[in-house]
Amino acid sequence: MRETQEKTRHVLVVRLPRAVEIRIEDVFLGLAGATKPTMGYHITVLGPFFLADGIDPRSLTPVSQVCARWRPFEVYISGLSAFQTKDDNTVYLRVQDCNRIVDLHYDLLRATRGLINMQDERILRWNEEQYEPHVTLALNLVDKGLAEFMRAAATRDLQASFTVDKIWLCLQEPNGPWQYTAQFPFGETGPEPSSDE
């Protein structure tokens, strides 16, 4: 399962609208340890992954087909949380009532079987068993930095909503920055949300 880091990495994401990014920057970017991803604030929907041998990223037809079946939906973000690992913590904004994003994630995971290989075992496990949509605010914080970040952020609040009507494919060449390379718009006549969402 271990892939070489010499390969191009890919990820499917929801881009946050610039107005929401500005609000996040205003509220959190000044805190010690806060980071802004080179691709901007986003919600990872699938990945990071490598394409299987012989697969051209411009022909990810199953991704287009999945997205064509989906209708636009609203996403709400608010509240801080953290993925905690000894001295390697990640702080994030929660995606609230995230059934639609989670369903989209698993729809894409099924559709891309055999076309992609996850970056490593940890990413595979996260995508297959532990997927939790979120917006990353700070990466690689030591435990003390996490405590300080959460203490400083305790008096700050951000609630935002926006419509998701497409996802984006990003790639990262070895030692290069992430770049947006393709978008996959949703259809207008996809499945209705279930009544329990």
Side-chain angles (χ1 to χ4, degrees), residues 27 61 73 78 142 146 175 179 195:
V27 174
T61 306
F73 58 88
S78 71
V142 297
L146 172 64
N175 302 314
Q179 304 169 51
S195 58

Side-chain angles (χ1 to χ4, degrees), residues 16-37:
L16 270 61
R18 184 63 188 137
V20 176
E21 283 195 308
I22 290 169
R23 291 180 59 201
I24 292 171
E25 291 167 359
D26 289 347
V27 174
F28 296 109
L29 199 53
L31 297 179
T35 55
K36 181 177 178 182

Side-chain angles (χ1 to χ4, degrees), residues 75-123:
V75 165
Y76 302 91
I77 55 174
S78 71
L80 289 183
S81 195
F83 298 121
Q84 297 183 29
T85 304
K86 177 74 173 149
D87 286 328
D88 186 16
N89 302 288
T90 299
V91 177
Y92 62 89
L93 279 167
R94 290 188 196 108
V95 176
Q96 303 293 334
D97 301 321
C98 57
N99 291 352
R100 300 293 285 161
I101 288 260
V102 171
D103 290 347
L104 176 61
H105 165 79
Y106 285 110
D107 204 358
L108 289 164
L109 186 64
R110 283 187 298 274
T112 56
R113 287 220 192 280
L115 302 177
I116 66 173
N117 299 309
M118 291 300 165
Q119 173 180 310
D120 57 37
E121 292 291 340
R122 182 182 63 84
I123 296 294

Side-chain angles (χ1 to χ4, degrees), residues 38-79:
T38 56
M39 69 175 86
Y41 292 109
H42 62 276
I43 300 167
T44 297
V45 181
L46 189 66
F49 56 83
F50 302 111
L51 295 176
D53 291 341
I55 302 298
D56 183 333
R58 293 169 297 187
S59 63
L60 284 173
T61 306
V63 174
S64 297
Q65 292 170 338
V66 166
C67 291
R69 293 193 308 259
W70 277 78
R71 291 178 53 180
F73 58 88
E74 288 294 304
V75 165
Y76 302 91
I77 55 174
S78 71

